[in-house]
Amino acid sequence: MGLFESAKKKPPPRPRSPAEKPDYKALESKYNFTAAELHTMEARFLQLYDTDTDLIAYDVFCAQPEVAMCPICSTFVQHNYALKPDAPPGLTFSQFVSVLSPLSVKASREDKVRYALLAVGAQGHGADARVSRADYANFIRIAMGERIPPHVCDAIADQVIVSRDKRRHRKAKDD
């Protein structure tokens, strides 16, 4: 059963107060989900969350089969939420949607790549982002697992960096 599907394992969750209700319009405009998909995700969220904190504990989220089989997802949660010094003990519904959005079939390639690089700890966002050779090599190691040896991951990262630098140099020359 996927995170996007309703499960019937737990009794119905307590109803949320109007103040706790997510802003579906804002979530729809920011992420690649329809209102119906967000309602289904909220039902799944409510099955997993702690009623005392209104959060899904990181370990509970990462233990879900759909997340556990995607090492980039759990790494992303660790780097971007759980390991922050002021981190709460879990994910809010909006964060839950944010973490799952790049995994959607409707997510753009750019969103998926950004997500993967952030998962391995690449620094920066947007046009000013800088991805180091180590970031690329780490990403390739995680994405490819045991299928290719570490020296090949390093060679691919070197090739990407050289190619990127050539494009930057050509662009600067053209400007």
Side-chain angles (χ1 to χ4, degrees), residues 87-163:
L91 296 170
T92 65
F93 180 68
S94 294
Q95 291 168 333
F96 177 74
V97 172
S98 171
V99 168
L100 296 177
S101 179
L103 303 177
S104 166
V105 295
K106 295 185 271 181
S108 70
R109 180 175 15 170
E110 180 181 310
D111 287 341
K112 290 178 184 206
V113 169
R114 183 181 304 113
Y115 181 84
L117 290 171
L118 287 172
V120 297
Q123 301 298 310
H125 302 280
D128 295 333
R130 296 290 180 250
V131 178
S132 71
R133 180 201 168 283
D135 291 333
Y136 278 120
N138 195 23
F139 169 70
I140 294 165
R141 277 188 204 93
I142 289 172
M144 299 307 290
E146 300 293 320
R147 290 182 274 177
I148 60 175
H151 73 278
V152 175
C153 292
D154 292 338
I156 293 169
D158 289 339
Q159 186 178 359
V160 168
I161 296 292
V162 168
S163 177

